[in-house]
Amino acid sequence: SVSGCHSSPNSTPPHSVTPPQNSPQPAAPAFLPTHPLSFLPKESAIGPRRPSANVIYSFTAPSNITIPIRMERTAHRRSSGQRSQRNGSAYKIVMAEGEWRNSMEVYVFTSQTITNIYAGVGARTWAVSEVIANKQQKATQAQALRIGSMGLLYCSETHELTTPFIVESRPDVNAPVGNIWPPPDVWHFPFRITPLGSPARRLSNTQLALLPSVATSGRQWHNILFIRSDFAFQPSTISDEDWEYLYTNLQHA
């Protein structure tokens, strides 16, 4: 992740944030089974043998559709007509109706300063630090980054997400760069980007908590968008609604 020690005088947070739209949900795809159990692998995504009731678990089905499911605890009655008394517990799996989403992958790269984000966006190039580049399997992960992939930049100095972009070249794992960001650091695995926004437009942690997937899954936003620098070149899976929210608020004014 690109790092440095200065702040840009032109860096200002956005004045307004467009809230996520409550668009009507499309009908569930025809391939979904009536009984979700028949759709899960034997060692399934439902987790422990005694899962938490009413927690939404999700797995990815064919056609890149993420389908949330929920565990519900059901009580057994001793016999018909008697006062309700639980004699044991069982769990059933139900579809979280209306909560399936078309999903997509996005790569988040983290910088220690907003100054270095401005520099990378201005040069239409991104790269990672030597510490990150030297991590096990990182070169392999970098080489798997495809042209046309979508990316975002996160500033750990300001705790803000900014600047969506399109990947325009494969990372070069053999050509470090040293002429974009302040010396003496050299940066590794550089690749070309086309920015779709400006570092002047940002989303704070509070605003990121409004991601639609936060509401539908119950997860924290940072468990949806992987912002840790050591997750560079590892994609986050988000919904189409998440991307609409992010792009609407971060695109060029």
Side-chain angles (χ1 to χ4, degrees):
S1 305
V2 178
S3 61
C5 57
H6 301 290
S7 298
S8 169
N10 298 321
S11 60
T12 56
H15 296 292
S16 63
V17 172
T18 303
Q21 300 297 314
N22 294 320
S23 56
Q25 294 298 320
F31 66 79
L32 293 184
T34 303
H35 196 310
L37 271 176
S38 64
F39 203 66
L40 294 173
K42 188 170 183 181
E43 298 296 327
S44 71
I46 59 177
R49 298 181 70 179
R50 293 179 58 86
S52 300
N54 299 318
V55 172
I56 294 175
Y57 301 82
S58 66
F59 62 97
T60 300
S63 301
N64 206 31
I65 299 246
T66 298
I67 304 175
I69 58 175
R70 185 172 61 254
M71 307 301 299
E72 288 186 353
R73 197 200 318 260
T74 59
H76 300 291
R77 298 174 185 267
R78 285 178 181 266
S79 63
S80 172
Q82 286 187 336
R83 180 172 60 88
S84 175
Q85 184 173 2
R86 190 164 66 189
N87 191 30
S89 294
Y91 290 91
K92 66 178 180 179
I93 298 177
V94 296
M95 301 299 279
E97 186 177 355
E99 291 174 343
W100 65 273
R101 296 285 190 272
N102 289 332
S103 62
M104 61 178 288
E105 290 185 341
V106 62
Y107 293 81
V108 182
F109 294 89
T110 297
S111 171
Q112 292 183 7
T113 71
I114 195 67
T115 298
N116 281 349
I117 289 180
Y118 271 99
V121 170
R124 300 170 78 89
T125 300
W126 200 252
V128 298
S129 69
E130 186 170 2
V131 171
I132 298 302
N134 286 336
K135 286 186 175 293
Q136 188 175 13
Q137 300 297 318
K138 195 56 66 178
T140 301
Q141 293 169 358
Q143 290 172 318
L145 182 66
R146 300 286 182 177
I147 295 172
S149 297
M150 307 304 295
L152 293 159
L153 300 176
Y154 184 81
C155 180
S156 57
E157 175 186 55
T158 63
H159 306 289
E160 292 170 316
L161 192 74
T162 186
T163 316
F165 63 83
I166 301 173
V167 175
E168 295 291 353
S169 72
R170 291 289 192 96
D172 190 337
V173 298
N174 298 310
V177 293
N179 60 344
I180 297 175
W181 297 279
D185 296 316
V186 173
W187 307 95
H188 298 264
F189 307 163
F191 57 95
R192 300 283 295 169
I193 64 172
T194 294
L196 302 176
S198 164
R201 301 197 70 180
R202 308 176 210 159
L203 288 171
S204 68
N205 291 354
T206 301
Q207 293 160 344
L208 290 170
L210 299 176
L211 277 174
S213 286
V214 172
T216 58
S217 71
R219 292 181 293 166
Q220 298 294 317
W221 72 266
H222 51 77
N223 291 325
I224 297 170
L225 291 169
F226 303 140
I227 60 170
R228 281 175 37 185
S229 58
D230 54 348
F231 279 97
F233 300 111
Q234 297 182 53
S236 303
T237 301
I238 63 174
S239 71
D240 286 352
E241 289 88 347
D242 292 332
W243 179 251
E244 180 181 31
Y245 173 68
L246 294 168
Y247 181 71
T248 298
N249 288 291
L250 297 175
Q251 65 179 315
H252 288 294

